[in-house]
Amino acid sequence: MLKAVSLFSGCGGSDAGLVKNGIDVVMANDILPYARDVYLANLPETDYLLTDIRDVKSFPMADLLVGCYPCQGFSQGGARKVDRSINYLYKEFARALSLIKPKVFVVENVSGMRTSTFKHLLNDQLDIFSKATETGYNVVWKEVKANEFGVPQERKRLIIVGFRNDLNMKYSFPDPTHGPTTENEYLTIRSALQGLPDWPEGEYCEDIFHWYYLSRNRRCDWNDVSKTIVSNMRHIPLHPVSPKLIKIGPDQWRFETEQPARRFSFREAARLQGFTKDYTQHGRDLLFPDNDKLSRISLLKERYKVVGNAVPPPLFDSIIANIPKEVW
């Protein structure tokens, strides 16, 4: 069985895609305790190190190294400060790459890394990864759309893939599996949330819809692809049971009627991220363990956070499945 090391693993979106491809994840790592709890509830056989990556001095050998280092420094939903230390965690990934020397590595991050503000950091990553180990890596990158790979959500992500140079091969990104150029229509909110209740008590954020939330349209209809699922529960998109939003001025929206409105629940957000029974070993929805040390609100925030930070499993599945068998 092929072996992989996973860094900045979160609750296991990328690793669910690895397992779907028959790859054994021999080590996972993150610093968020509840992300670890969700991961192990769904992928219990992985050795998960709950620690700062900078404190990890050795790694198991593996054919594949994957990593999704934190994106808050690059994200439209984050601080977007070029000098944040979090923006340089890719150097820890490069350190692991040099030690493990895998045949292949895959990185996922937000598309905001392409902007002029951060492009020099993207270029530095490409440079440092290409020079890792004695042989170096043939590195390619591309912005991909998650909804084109069976994820019912508008989510653009930047994927970096490197093949070790001694393989004399170059990665080719997969063609879309869903959308107008394929035989499959985009998955919709309706198809993703089938079987779930319209008003799941205690599973969604009930905070007021403040002025910032109503500064843009955060609602899609049942037959649409969802807007991007984020990690902050107050900014999660609206469920289609909510009234439509109408624009009343620049960056100002209001509900069309006085009918009740709500955000997606954390469980619905997981479905919209592509966490289906196809990507859990127990064959049902993603499990969210309880935690007696957290208050109800704190636990709700953590559940939203780990889902919003995750890599959509179907997207990562498609990226991994397009690695030619000859590589291994």
Side-chain angles (χ1 to χ4, degrees), residues 270-321:
R271 288 265 192 105
L272 294 169
Q273 280 277 56
F275 282 101
T276 66
K277 62 183 180 180
D278 294 333
Y279 293 96
T280 56
Q281 291 184 331
H282 43 71
R284 58 180 186 271
D285 279 352
L286 195 69
L287 295 177
F288 292 91
D290 291 329
N291 188 315
D292 295 337
K293 296 180 180 179
L294 296 174
S295 68
R296 185 185 70 84
I297 294 299
S298 294
L299 182 58
L300 188 63
K301 287 181 178 178
E302 288 298 304
R303 286 170 167 169
Y304 273 115
K305 179 191 292 185
V306 299
V307 169
N309 283 338
V311 181
L315 172 59
F316 214 78
D317 178 2
S318 295
I319 297 298
I320 297 301

Side-chain angles (χ1 to χ4, degrees), residues 263-275:
R263 301 164 175 86
F264 286 119
S265 71
F266 65 85
R267 202 175 306 280
E268 292 162 343
R271 288 265 192 105
L272 294 169
Q273 280 277 56
F275 282 101

